[in-house]
Amino acid sequence: MSETYQVSSSPHVREKVTTGNIMLYVIIALLPTTLFGIYNFGWRALLLIVVTIATCVISEFVFNIIAKRKQTISDCSAIVTGLLLALNFPSTLPIWEAVIGGFFAIIIVKMVFGGLGQNFMNPALGARCFLLIAFAADMTSFISGTKYDGIASATPLAMIRNEGLSSVNVQDMLLGNTAGTIGETSAIAILIGAIILILFGVIDLKIPGSYIVTFALFMFLFGADRFNINYVVAQLCGGGLMLGAFFMATDYVTSPITPMGKIVFGICCGLLTGIFRCFGANAEGVSFAIILSNLLVPLIEKVTIPRAFGIKKEAKKNE
């Protein structure tokens, strides 16, 4: 009878799964698109991945020493951030810019706000958007892959916008025989990783499902080639939508925890991505769409949090 029960806010631990376990599952799930990116773009892609991961891990390690905090690099979250950030780089990006990106992701977006669990936006996406603003030319300089010809080339989304759907091959977009960032070209490789995440129970389909369905409907109704299924499929396979939907929009820290909130969050991501792609100056838009949706998470959770069982809405006054 003397036992004391402590009740804390959600999320509550229901399984013996650590942050390190989850991050390891994410790394495993990212292996298909990572290996394909290295195969497609060659040694320089591997170098960018290694340098970016190393920068993220070292930045977190040194910051914890300077701030006299407990070391957190063992949870592998810095590795995941570095890997995701590198997969969002073109293989031609200067190495020093990758170092700046890794430093910005860990120090500015993550550690300054208190570390893992306190950051208000996805660190990898925050750093990518920073680099897009600071080094726009380098971040949008793509090649079609050293395996094929290694020459400068426009991305499929840019080709669709400038030349129409006939300028791209959807099968090549599925396989990854196109220009783009290291980790975004092969939709099949990304989907294999997504299946791994789902099988491990790391994510469910609420966020990526509502994201992809909302975006597809938006492009079907408002896209440049509206009511064309092939156009919608090309838009789904092009750019970073698949990578963003399954690996970055589902970030535990920066996405809602309520079931309905996850769906609303996915819808916001889909709508914003569609708006950016249809009406924005850039043919992409996934990174900015997810970050803006991250900012809406507190509001989304406030309006979607379920009421405790047995609690009714306040009765009207002076009935």
Side-chain angles (χ1 to χ4, degrees):
M1 296 297 292
S2 61
E3 292 182 358
T4 300
Y5 295 93
Q6 295 182 350
V7 180
S8 61
S9 62
S10 63
H12 304 291
V13 177
R14 293 175 180 168
E15 297 181 20
K16 295 180 179 179
V17 178
T18 65
T19 301
N21 294 146
I22 293 172
M23 295 302 166
L24 180 60
Y25 296 153
V26 175
I27 293 170
I28 293 172
L30 283 169
L31 284 179
T33 191
T34 301
L35 294 175
F36 182 84
I38 296 170
Y39 170 74
N40 196 18
F41 295 104
W43 67 270
R44 197 145 195 312
L46 176 60
L47 180 61
L48 277 171
I49 291 170
V50 171
V51 167
T52 309
I53 292 175
T55 300
C56 289
V57 173
I58 292 171
S59 295
E60 185 165 322
F61 180 79
V62 172
F63 183 93
N64 283 330
I65 291 177
I66 295 174
K68 297 181 179 180
R69 293 182 183 176
K70 180 182 177 181
Q71 280 298 341
T72 53
I73 58 173
S74 61
D75 65 16
C76 298
S77 62
I79 296 176
V80 171
T81 295
L83 181 55
L84 280 172
L85 179 57
L87 293 178
N88 280 278
F89 288 157
S91 61
T92 56
L93 189 76
I95 299 299
W96 64 273
E97 291 180 15
V99 172
I100 292 176
F103 176 87
F104 187 91
I106 295 298
I107 302 300
I108 305 301
V109 183
K110 180 182 176 182
M111 302 307 292
V112 166
F113 288 93
L116 184 66
Q118 305 299 319
N119 49 287
F120 68 95
M121 70 172 67
N122 183 285
L125 286 181
R128 182 176 191 267
C129 290
F130 166 74
L131 292 175
L132 277 170
I133 296 171
F135 310 105
D138 292 335
M139 285 291 290
T140 55
S141 176
F142 302 103
I143 61 173
S144 56
T146 54
K147 178 181 179 294
Y148 301 98
D149 49 37
I151 61 174
S153 177
T155 64
L157 291 181
M159 293 173 67
I160 292 173
R161 168 170 285 200
N162 298 326
E163 304 171 31
L165 183 61
S166 60
S167 62
V168 299
N169 185 311
V170 176
Q171 181 176 337
D172 284 343
M173 296 171 71
L174 282 168
L175 296 175
N177 305 343
T178 62
T181 66
I182 295 171
E184 75 179 16
T185 56
S186 175
I188 290 179
I190 295 170
L191 288 173
I192 291 173
I195 292 172
I196 293 173
L197 286 182
I198 294 169
L199 291 178
F200 279 144
V202 177
I203 66 170
D204 58 34
L205 285 174
K206 290 185 181 70
I207 291 176
S210 57
Y211 187 166
I212 292 170
V213 170
T214 300
F215 173 77
L217 288 173
F218 189 96
M219 299 307 290
F220 184 76
L221 296 174
F222 303 107
D225 196 353
R226 63 188 64 181
F227 310 122
N228 186 335
I229 295 298
N230 291 329
Y231 172 79
V232 174
V233 173
Q235 286 286 341
L236 287 171
C237 295
L241 187 133
M242 289 294 181
L243 187 65
F246 287 104
F247 288 94
M248 288 178 280
T250 54
D251 178 18
Y252 284 4
V253 177
T254 57
S255 63
I257 61 173
T258 61
M260 182 55 66
K262 292 180 179 181
I263 295 173
V264 173
F265 178 77
I267 291 172
C268 289
C269 290
L271 287 175
L272 288 172
T273 304
I275 291 171
F276 289 143
R277 286 197 182 181
C278 287
F279 309 112
N282 191 283
E284 184 43 278
V286 169
S287 297
F288 290 103
I290 295 176
I291 282 180
L292 288 175
S293 297
N294 289 157
L295 300 178
L296 297 174
V297 167
L299 177 61
I300 292 173
E301 290 190 329
K302 183 177 181 180
V303 299
T304 60
I305 188 168
R307 295 194 308 276
F309 181 76
I311 301 298
K312 297 181 180 180
K313 293 182 179 180
E314 290 186 18
K316 292 182 180 180
K317 294 182 179 180
N318 302 321
E319 285 188 309

